[in-house]
């Protein structure tokens, strides 16, 4: 029986993991510059956490969640996104309150049962950031800037920022009504999913990807036309601050995003280097979510980056030399006793912080030298019967091929990185 990785999931192999590590390291530095602290939440949560926040009528909740009953019959769901868990954890641990700013970031796998294709997986990874505590449009802009700085840090260029405002709980009903009025005329010509969306949550019609629905969706009214004064002012401020910071952006009236919790600003960053799945990150404000989860009303804004999509661009368009960190030190031995001495020296090297390796397969000396070469060892230390008697092995510098006899006791002084 041969097993293969489940459909829609991928192994990240050692060749690629160096790239993931370097990306995470760079991201952490930028998060720290913006004063964000890391939070790690569980991979699964109570199902209701997601149905209530993302919305019953969204594609994610209706079709894409990995939901299961545990042994006590509780309904749990593998997290499809990170925002709801962060709000839950923030409230449960008193990190979130209306009168203080809390900035949290996270990395981790997310799960959505979607049709796998390039840039779309069933297990994928996000890096996300959430800031709680202020309605100030400056924070919307700071979020967008943080998002751009993260991309800049890993060398991504030519990105486009799309923004929109979907209004708040006061003016969203106006937009919903406008959308309903507009689609009433054409809904019979649209797909079945849209007809159901029309009944349950007409705003979600704008997420439809069906070819035949696009002409109708393109002419739908824009949410910015129905904003209340407060949301309008907020959106104007966001635009003003973006311009002040010289950030290019595009107002995209279709950008309602596939999750129900958004209020006011929504944004997406798009790369034209990708195919159909172009959005490398998305986010926005969600001023009503903390309260919906039982907290005091606390405004919030955040975003999440799709790491696989970013890695894809880096691999194909910014090929970086894979700086494989070769091991420094290989100990080649001949004979049982030498092997024991070799093992002792390998352990000593590691205690001193020198990466070291030896052969565990009883290979010939020639084969061990080849192995050391493949591992990009800087030095090989050879110990045979003769060397054991002398208390000194042969230290070979693989860069210059020069070698000299070196006593066991002097070994570590003679290694130069
Ligand atoms: P989202 O737009 O659903 O937002 O996901 C954010 C990003 O995750 C997308 O732009 C995309 O790059 C990546 N992504 C989503 N689904 C997949 C998939 N199936 N395969 C590969 N990559 C994918 C959220 O998840 C919100 N929680 C963002 C947020 C944070 N809003 C406020 N705070």
């Amino acid at each position: 029986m041969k097993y293969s990785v489940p459909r829609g999931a991928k192994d990240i192999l050692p060749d690629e993991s160096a790239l993931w590590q370097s990306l995470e390291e760079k991201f952490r530095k930028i998060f720290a510059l913006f004063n964000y602290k890391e939070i790690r939440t569980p991979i699964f949560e109570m199902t209701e956490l997601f149905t209530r926040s993302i919305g019953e009528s969204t594609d994610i909740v209706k079709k894409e969640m990995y939901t299961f009953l545990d042994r006590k019959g509780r309904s749990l769901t593998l997290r499809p996104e990170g925002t709801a868990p962060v709000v839950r954890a923030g409230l449960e641990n008193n990190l979130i309150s209306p009168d203080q700013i809390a900035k949290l970031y996270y990395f981790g796998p997310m799960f959505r049962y979607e049709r796998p294709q390039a840039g779309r997986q069933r297990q994928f990874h996000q890096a996300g950031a959430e800031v709680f505590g202020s309605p100030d449009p400056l924070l919307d802009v700071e979020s967008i800037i943080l998002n751009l700085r993260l991309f800049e840090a890993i060398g991504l260029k030519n990105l486009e920022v799309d923004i929109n405002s979907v209004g708040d709980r006061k003016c969203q009903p106006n937009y919903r009504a406008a959308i309903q009025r507009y689609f009433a005329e054409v809904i019979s010509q649209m797909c079945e999913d849209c007809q159901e969306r029309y009944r349950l949550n007409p705003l979600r019609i704008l997420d439809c990807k069906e070819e035949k629905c696009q002409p109708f969706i393109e002419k739908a009214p824009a949410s910015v036309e129905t904003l209340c004064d407060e949301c309008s002012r907020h959106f104007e401020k966001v635009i003003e601050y973006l311009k002040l910071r010289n950030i290019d952006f595009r107002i995209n009236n279709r950008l309602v995003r596939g999750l129900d919790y958004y209020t006011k600003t929504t944004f997406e960053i798009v790369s034209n280097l990708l195919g159909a799945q172009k959005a490398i990150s998305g986010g926005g404000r969600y001023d009503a979510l903390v309260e919906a989860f039982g907290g005091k009303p606390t405004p919030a804004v955040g975003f999440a980056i799709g790491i696989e999509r970013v890695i894809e661009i880096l691999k194909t368009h910014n090929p970086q030399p894979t700086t494989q960190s070769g091991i420094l030190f290989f100990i080649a031995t001949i004979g049982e006793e030498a092997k024991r001495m070799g093992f002792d020296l390998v352990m000593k090297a590691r205690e001193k912080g020198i990466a070291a390796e030896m052969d565990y397969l009883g290979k010939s000396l020639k084969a061990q030298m080849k192995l050391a070469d493949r591992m990009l060892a800087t030095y090989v230390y050879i110990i045979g019967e003769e060397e054991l008697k002398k208390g000194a092995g042969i230290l070979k510098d693989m860069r210059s091929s020069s070698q000299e006899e070196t006593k066991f006791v002097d070994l570590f002084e003679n290694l130069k990185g």
Side-chain angles (χ1 to χ4, degrees):
M1 177 73 180
K2 272 197 179 158
Y3 298 105
S4 50
V5 72
R7 185 164 148 76
K10 271 195 185 150
D11 298 308
I12 298 161
L13 301 175
D15 253 4
E16 197 177 291
S17 59
L19 197 53
W20 283 71
Q21 282 170 12
S22 121
L23 178 145
E24 281 191 21
E25 208 175 294
K26 287 172 185 157
F27 276 12
R28 285 183 200 284
K29 283 198 185 126
I30 304 290
F31 282 133
L33 286 180
F34 283 70
N35 196 27
Y36 279 72
K37 303 276 190 290
E38 189 181 13
I39 183 164
R40 301 187 190 198
T41 65
I43 300 288
F44 59 82
E45 296 275 355
M46 284 158 64
T47 300
E48 206 190 311
L49 185 82
F50 299 116
T51 48
R52 286 204 36 218
S53 55
I54 299 170
E56 302 268 5
S57 53
T58 57
D59 279 356
I60 297 181
V61 169
K62 280 184 58 190
K63 309 185 207 165
E64 296 171 3
M65 294 209 303
Y66 280 90
T67 297
F68 57 96
L69 296 182
D70 74 1
R71 287 171 187 277
K72 287 266 166 68
R74 287 171 285 235
S75 180
L76 300 172
T77 292
L78 298 186
R79 61 180 186 199
E81 62 108 44
T83 308
V86 168
V87 174
R88 196 262 315 133
L91 281 173
E92 203 172 336
N93 298 286
N94 298 320
L95 304 177
I96 298 175
S97 63
D99 49 2
Q100 75 177 26
I101 299 291
K103 290 178 160 183
L104 301 166
Y105 79 86
Y106 52 89
F107 284 106
M110 306 291 159
F111 305 85
R112 295 184 193 175
Y113 192 85
E114 295 191 80
R115 201 168 47 76
Q117 61 180 81
R120 198 203 273 157
Q121 292 175 204
R122 291 182 173 168
Q123 175 175 334
F124 61 99
H125 295 75
Q126 287 186 342
E130 316 288 351
V131 48
F132 299 91
S134 167
D136 194 328
L138 256 192
L139 273 186
D140 307 39
V141 173
E142 192 187 81
S143 244
I144 295 171
I145 294 174
L146 166 58
N147 196 163
L148 287 168
R149 284 292 298 279
L150 291 166
F151 288 143
E152 204 179 289
I154 53 171
L156 288 195
K157 293 186 206 95
N158 302 325
L159 305 175
E160 286 168 7
V161 181
D162 278 16
I163 65 163
N164 191 20
S165 174
V166 294
D168 63 8
R169 297 293 179 247
K170 289 193 298 291
C171 55
Q172 274 171 356
N174 302 341
Y175 186 47
R176 203 163 295 131
I179 284 282
Q180 212 150 14
R181 268 197 306 278
Y182 166 78
F183 281 112
E185 313 263 311
V186 293
I187 194 68
S188 58
Q189 300 165 61
M190 298 179 73
C191 74
E192 259 174 45
D193 274 356
C194 280
Q195 306 202 0
E196 193 184 344
R197 289 180 181 118
Y198 181 76
R199 286 193 302 277
L200 297 174
N201 186 354
L203 260 186
R204 297 271 68 96
I205 296 176
L206 303 180
D207 303 335
C208 181
K209 303 282 179 305
E210 279 291 324
E211 200 70 48
K212 73 169 187 184
C213 299
Q214 298 315 307
F216 304 113
I217 291 173
E218 272 159 30
K219 293 194 204 82
S223 52
V224 288
E225 290 159 16
T226 53
L227 296 181
C228 61
D229 285 350
E230 186 195 325
C231 288
S232 254
R233 264 200 310 278
H234 187 95
F235 195 46
E236 278 161 24
K237 283 275 176 217
V238 170
I239 289 172
E240 182 189 328
Y241 293 143
L242 284 173
K243 284 185 178 157
L244 272 176
R245 303 296 318 164
N246 286 325
I247 293 165
D248 288 333
F249 63 90
R250 197 169 50 189
I251 295 176
N252 176 351
N253 290 329
R254 299 282 94 77
L255 190 65
V256 291
R257 312 248 314 119
L259 307 101
D260 275 354
Y261 51 62
Y262 291 110
T263 54
K264 297 185 177 157
T265 317
T266 52
F267 65 93
E268 253 173 34
I269 298 182
V270 177
S271 165
N272 282 324
L273 298 176
L274 290 173
Q277 307 300 322
K278 289 176 196 303
I280 49 175
S281 70
R285 224 173 225 292
Y286 47 97
D287 289 346
L289 187 57
V290 174
E291 196 182 4
F293 278 6
K296 296 190 186 123
T298 309
V301 50
F303 64 88
I305 295 173
I307 304 188
E308 277 81 1
R309 295 188 188 173
V310 167
I311 295 271
E312 194 49 41
I313 303 178
L314 292 180
K315 278 200 320 206
T316 43
H317 298 278
N318 301 35
Q320 294 168 341
T322 32
T323 43
Q324 216 180 344
S325 48
I327 64 152
L328 179 65
F329 194 37
F330 189 92
I331 300 193
T333 62
I334 310 150
E336 204 40 48
E337 218 177 310
K339 190 173 178 179
R340 222 170 305 144
M341 175 50 110
F343 190 60
D344 187 48
L345 289 171
V346 161
M347 286 304 175
K348 279 210 179 92
R350 292 171 181 163
E351 273 162 34
K352 289 183 181 300
I354 300 165
E357 189 54 291
M358 63 184 287
D359 162 55
Y360 305 94
L361 293 169
K363 287 182 193 274
S364 69
L365 180 60
K366 197 171 156 205
Q368 290 185 59
M369 295 307 284
K370 257 200 201 148
L371 184 62
D373 214 34
R374 264 215 314 277
M375 289 181 179
L376 307 175
T378 317
Y379 288 98
V380 178
Y381 193 54
I382 303 160
I383 314 169
E385 238 171 80
E386 199 61 23
E387 285 74 26
L388 273 179
K389 274 191 218 136
K390 281 196 279 188
I394 299 158
L395 183 64
K396 181 169 180 187
D397 187 327
M398 301 292 272
R399 297 162 294 193
S400 59
S401 287
S402 64
Q403 56 184 53
E404 58 180 329
E405 194 175 280
T406 307
K407 287 200 178 124
F408 298 158
V409 288
D410 298 335
L411 179 58
F412 298 114
E413 273 91 87
N414 290 344
L415 303 181
K416 291 178 205 81

